[in-house]
Amino acid sequence: MTTRLAVLYGGQSGEHEVSCRSAASILANLDRERYQVTEVLIDRDGGWHVDGRPMPLPQALRVLRTQEVVFPALHGPYGEDGTVASLLEWLGVPYVGNGVFASAAGMDKGVTKRLLAAEGLRVSPGVTLRAGEELSPDDRRRLELPVFVKPARAGSSLGVVKVNDWAGVAAALDEARQVDPKVLVEQGARGREIDVAVLQHPDGRVQAGPPLEIRVTGAGFFDYDAKYDGGAVFQIPAPLDAATTEVLQDRAIRAFHALDCRGLLRVDFFLPTEGSPEPIVNEVNTFPGFTAASQFPQIWQTAGLEFATLIDILIAGALVDQDRVRYSGLPRQARAVNLV
């Protein structure tokens, strides 16, 4: 018997194309004897399409409501930020991945840093600036150059600028605010870039995969072009001693719980080469890239989980998550089961 599954992708964010690539990889690896698949695309203008046909929003929502599970392969605002999770909760449809709170908190880099710091995890010093706010002299003294100026609520390093001279801050703020009026100015961490993938199994086990080290091949940093145009090399597992690997995996799982995550998370660290050896959490990604070239699937493939198996685990987890089962057509809120 097949499971009715909708893959929801696209969206109106700057990561529309990345979402389409992730969805293409997911669709290519789904077992069609196991899943009855419906493709639901949100185009750049907000129009909805079901299996290639334009469809009014009310009808598209009715299609989603008939599914046994939805796989939201959405990146960035209006998708990964909890917006679609909220919609699916309202429809009462089980879905893969993180809930409303974790998605919203994980999308906002300033909020993420505060939650992780409260958990005792190490983060880089930084300051959040809202529309119209500028970096104060006190903040400049507190933060050491270089700094990174980032849109607070965007992914794929869109709008991120490295600043090596305070004279460049104003232009960097302008560029970041083209993506999001809320901006994070963060002290640049020095060290090796290490990613750790976290996966929750259907039985509730939370597992961290082998660390991945990012080595940017050019003179820049791991920006959008490096991520998607072959400007970086991934080494999995990263060449680390067993004790350091264990620490990184522990911190990644702690971040997963601190944000109340479900299903999956990717945690990006800087591993200092001098000073305190405690890893610095750079960012988290509540729905990381799912292309064949993305870190999350590659990490789990190295751990022995092929792409199709990884997808099956995430879908099975969504189906047994009792926070998202339907009850009389509405999400059941009364019987929450803590799987972790």
Side-chain angles (χ1 to χ4, degrees):
M1 188 172 179
T2 58
T3 298
R4 296 188 306 279
L5 167 72
V7 178
L8 176 60
Y9 64 100
Q12 294 179 267
S13 80
E15 296 180 79
H16 177 95
E17 182 59 34
V18 180
S19 172
C20 290
R21 294 186 201 177
S22 287
S25 293
I26 293 165
L27 290 164
N29 283 277
L30 284 169
D31 182 348
R32 298 310 174 105
E33 294 185 358
R34 189 168 183 175
Y35 304 107
Q36 179 184 331
V37 180
T38 299
E39 296 185 34
V40 182
L41 166 69
I42 305 172
D43 66 30
R44 295 181 187 272
D45 297 320
W48 289 63
H49 306 255
V50 176
D51 289 335
R53 302 187 305 276
M55 188 169 287
L57 177 58
Q59 291 184 28
L61 295 184
R62 281 196 288 271
V63 170
L64 287 178
R65 196 169 189 174
T66 65
Q67 305 301 309
E68 292 176 80
V69 62
V70 174
F71 200 130
L74 291 157
H75 301 294
Y78 310 110
E80 192 181 349
D81 59 357
T83 306
V84 166
S86 179
L87 172 66
L88 295 170
E89 295 276 359
W90 179 70
L91 291 174
V93 183
Y95 58 94
V96 169
N98 284 288
V100 178
F101 173 78
S103 298
M107 175 58 65
D108 190 313
K109 296 177 178 63
V111 172
T112 300
K113 285 168 67 74
R114 289 192 289 273
L115 289 171
L116 297 183
E119 174 64 20
L121 297 170
R122 186 182 179 191
V123 298
S124 293
V127 60
T128 299
L129 302 176
R130 290 167 177 79
E133 295 181 339
E134 302 297 330
L135 201 63
S136 71
D138 286 344
D139 287 327
R140 293 187 186 215
R141 283 190 289 269
R142 181 171 60 89
L143 302 175
E144 298 177 4
L145 288 169
V147 295
F148 284 88
V149 179
K150 307 176 179 181
R153 297 163 295 196
S156 291
S157 297
L158 291 170
V160 177
V161 181
K162 183 179 181 180
V163 176
N164 294 301
D165 187 306
W166 292 121
V169 167
L173 288 172
D174 287 342
E175 183 170 341
R177 282 173 172 152
Q178 297 299 310
V179 180
D180 185 1
K182 185 178 180 182
V183 171
L184 177 67
V185 182
E186 188 174 63
Q187 185 181 96
R190 297 174 178 84
R192 299 164 64 183
E193 293 189 59
I194 308 289
D195 292 352
V196 178
V198 181
L199 177 65
Q200 185 177 37
H201 293 264
D203 63 4
R205 289 180 297 117
V206 177
Q207 178 185 9
L212 170 154
E213 182 164 13
I214 299 168
R215 294 183 177 173
V216 179
T217 55
F221 62 96
F222 194 45
D223 60 4
Y224 186 94
D225 290 337
K227 288 181 178 180
Y228 301 111
D229 292 335
V233 174
F234 302 149
Q235 187 168 357
I236 319 170
L240 300 166
D241 60 72
T244 302
T245 294
E246 185 176 350
V247 168
L248 286 161
Q249 292 175 324
D250 171 78
R251 303 304 186 264
I253 291 174
R254 283 174 59 187
F256 181 94
H257 290 304
L259 296 173
D260 196 24
C261 290
R262 300 186 299 208
L264 73 167
L265 183 71
R266 196 190 75 223
V267 186
D268 302 343
F269 294 95
F270 283 108
L271 186 62
T273 52
E274 55 187 47
S276 170
E278 178 65 25
I280 300 168
V281 180
N282 179 34
E283 294 182 6
V284 302
N285 199 314
T286 55
F287 186 73
F290 260 75
T291 71
S294 298
Q295 296 104 295
F296 194 90
Q298 287 196 49
I299 287 170
W300 289 112
Q301 184 173 29
T302 301
L305 290 180
E306 295 299 326
F307 203 120
T309 303
L310 177 62
I311 292 170
D312 288 342
I313 288 171
L314 289 167
I315 293 170
L319 288 168
V320 302
D321 186 344
Q322 295 300 302
D323 282 336
R324 290 175 285 183
V325 297
R326 280 183 279 186
Y327 180 70
S328 299
L330 295 173
R332 183 187 299 176
Q333 304 295 339
R335 284 181 51 192
V337 175
N338 184 2
L339 295 180
V340 298

